[in-house]
């Protein structure tokens, strides 16, 4: 691949291209040194890999314009921090330990990074051609094919989230490490084939589990509910309320939430309320009755029973022990 082509692809960034290694470094913000950087590997006309190390700020997508001659499987794996996708006016979040997969027919979305840092790997494949294109990937044809989503997921503009296994996390860390060591594309393509195998295993595991896949729209709804439960924990949030808001059944709301966050609606609501209650008992002079109301309980007796079930002690016992411990440690 010619150096000029690499530079044209990333014309928006200051770049250093190496046509021999099929690799290019892009300092998104040169003043930040190595902290805001994208590394690109152009393994062939049909498969590209990007390694992101973004420290802060909002950064545009890498600018790669995909040809409109087939579907592209876009796989984003977050290792640290988090990022946001804006697509069709909707915002979707990707957190550490998650893999997001979607099919699209071009660069039709924006890729923005959260300010708390993001380290991740993105692989873009032209799914109908990639297996014919590289001998290493062809040799691992089964592995690459295992990354295929189920039939109901093979649609444009659908996002599907999969949790990363230990094996997937290890391979991602190796890709990141090799990219920083400026390894040749031949090394990266082998690791991408291994990543395909690992992600395929993750998908296979999800297919067999009760959680199945989490689509982009499902994740967005679950995150909106999660935010309400987390930051407005004193409100009377119920599954019925959210079911009415989104025009879904209560069972569907429960499934969306559990699939996205790994715990039930009521379980998470209880956890947040109890943890905040414990914090107020430790740090404030509020009465148990006042804390009860702030946590959404208008019956102090019910609050006391819930607290004792969660912490194995009454609110007053918890406060007394917390103060004794604080006095002993001097905090």
């Amino acid at each position: 691949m010619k150096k000029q082509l690499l530079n044209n692809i990333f014309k928006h960034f200051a770049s250093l291209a190496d046509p021999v290694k099929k690799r290019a470094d892009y300092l998104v913000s040169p003043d930040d040194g190595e902290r805001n950087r994208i590394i690109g590997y152009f393994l062939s006309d049909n498969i590209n890999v990007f390694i992101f190390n973004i420290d802060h700020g909002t950064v545009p997508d890498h600018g790669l314009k995909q040809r409109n001659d087939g579907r592209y499987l876009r796989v984003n794996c977050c290792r640290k921090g988090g990022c946001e996708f804006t697509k069709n006016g909707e915002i979707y979040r990707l957190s550490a330990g998650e893999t997001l997969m979607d099919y699209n027919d071009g660069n039709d979305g924006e890729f923005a990074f959260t300010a708390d840092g993001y380290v991740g790997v993105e692989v873009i494949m032209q799914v109908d051609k990639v297996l014919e294109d590289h001998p290493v990937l062809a040799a691992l044809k089964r592995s690459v094919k295992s990354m295929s989503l189920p039939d109901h997921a093979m649609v444009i503009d659908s996002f599907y989230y999969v949790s990363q296994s230990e094996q997937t996390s290890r391979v991602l860390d190796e890709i990141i490490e090799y990219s920083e060591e400026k390894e040749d594309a031949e090394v990266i393509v082998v690791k991408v084939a291994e990543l395909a195998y690992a992600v395929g295993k993750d998908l296979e595991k999800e297919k067999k589990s009760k959680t199945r896949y989490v689509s982009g729209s499902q994740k967005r709804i679950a995150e909106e509910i999660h935010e309400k439960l987390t930051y407005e924990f004193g409100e009377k949030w119920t599954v019925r309320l959210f079911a009415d808001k989104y025009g879904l059944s209560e069972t569907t709301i429960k499934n969306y939430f559990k699939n996205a966050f790994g715990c039930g609606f009521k379980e998470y609501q209880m956890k947040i309320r109890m943890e905040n209650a414990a914090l107020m008992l430790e740090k404030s002079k509020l009465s148990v009755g006042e804390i009860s109301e702030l946590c959404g309980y208008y019956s102090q007796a019910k609050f006391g029973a819930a607290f004792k079930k969660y912490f194995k002690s009454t609110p007053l016992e918890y406060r007394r022990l917390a103060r004794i411990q604080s006095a002993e440690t001097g905090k």
Side-chain angles (χ1 to χ4, degrees), residues 279-287 291 319 323:
L279 186 63
M280 285 186 274
L281 287 167
E282 291 176 28
K283 305 296 184 182
S284 78
K285 294 182 180 180
L286 295 171
S287 69
I291 292 173
R319 171 171 270 174
R323 287 177 176 174

Side-chain angles (χ1 to χ4, degrees), residues 247-266:
L248 300 168
S249 70
E250 292 186 42
T251 299
T252 299
I253 290 293
K254 290 177 182 177
N255 288 339
Y256 281 11
F257 192 89
K258 188 168 186 178
N259 291 353
F261 296 102
C263 66
F265 178 97
K266 288 186 177 180

Side-chain angles (χ1 to χ4, degrees), residues 3 26 53 57 66 72 76 119 127 134 187 204 228 242 248 254 294 296 315 324 327:
K3 180 176 180 179
Y26 308 95
N53 190 341
Q66 298 162 0
Y72 286 81
N76 283 275
V119 177
V127 291
H134 201 290
V187 174
E204 185 179 338
K228 292 292 186 183
F242 289 114
L248 300 168
K254 290 177 182 177
L294 288 172
I324 292 172

Side-chain angles (χ1 to χ4, degrees), residues 134-265:
H134 201 290
V136 174
L137 292 177
L140 291 172
K141 185 173 182 178
R142 180 180 176 185
S143 300
V144 177
K145 279 192 170 181
S146 69
M147 294 179 73
S148 296
L149 296 172
D151 291 341
H152 68 271
M154 303 276 280
V155 294
I156 303 300
D157 294 334
S158 288
F159 288 153
Y160 285 82
Y161 292 82
V162 182
S163 299
Q164 293 168 14
S165 63
E166 194 173 311
Q167 181 183 12
T168 299
S169 299
R170 175 185 58 77
V171 177
L172 288 168
D173 289 341
E174 290 175 352
I175 290 175
I176 293 168
E177 179 183 352
Y178 290 150
S179 69
E180 291 173 349
E181 293 174 355
K182 299 185 178 180
E183 290 286 358
D184 292 342
E186 283 73 13
V187 174
I188 300 299
V189 77
V190 171
K191 302 311 295 182
V192 168
E194 190 175 351
L195 178 65
Y197 177 81
V199 172
K201 286 290 185 182
D202 294 345
L203 280 168
E204 185 179 338
K205 182 179 179 181
E206 297 263 342
K207 289 174 187 176
K208 294 178 180 178
S209 73
K210 293 181 180 179
T211 59
R212 307 289 291 180
Y213 299 91
V214 183
S215 72
S217 59
Q218 293 168 7
K219 184 82 181 294
R220 177 177 55 79
I221 290 172
E223 285 179 339
E224 288 177 3
I225 296 171
H226 183 270
E227 188 169 329
K228 292 292 186 183
L229 295 181
T230 302
Y231 299 107
E232 299 176 38
F233 57 86
E235 299 294 328
K236 283 286 190 180
W237 301 118
T238 65
V239 176
R240 179 73 262 166
L241 188 153
F242 289 114
D244 290 342
K245 176 181 178 180
Y246 295 108
L248 300 168
S249 70
E250 292 186 42
T251 299
T252 299
I253 290 293
K254 290 177 182 177
N255 288 339
Y256 281 11
F257 192 89
K258 188 168 186 178
N259 291 353
F261 296 102
C263 66
F265 178 97

Side-chain angles (χ1 to χ4, degrees), residues 55-73:
D55 184 66
H56 62 82
T58 300
V59 181
D61 203 347
H62 43 61
L64 179 65
K65 296 298 181 182
Q66 298 162 0
R67 301 187 309 274
N68 293 319
D69 56 354
R71 293 178 307 164
Y72 286 81
L73 173 62

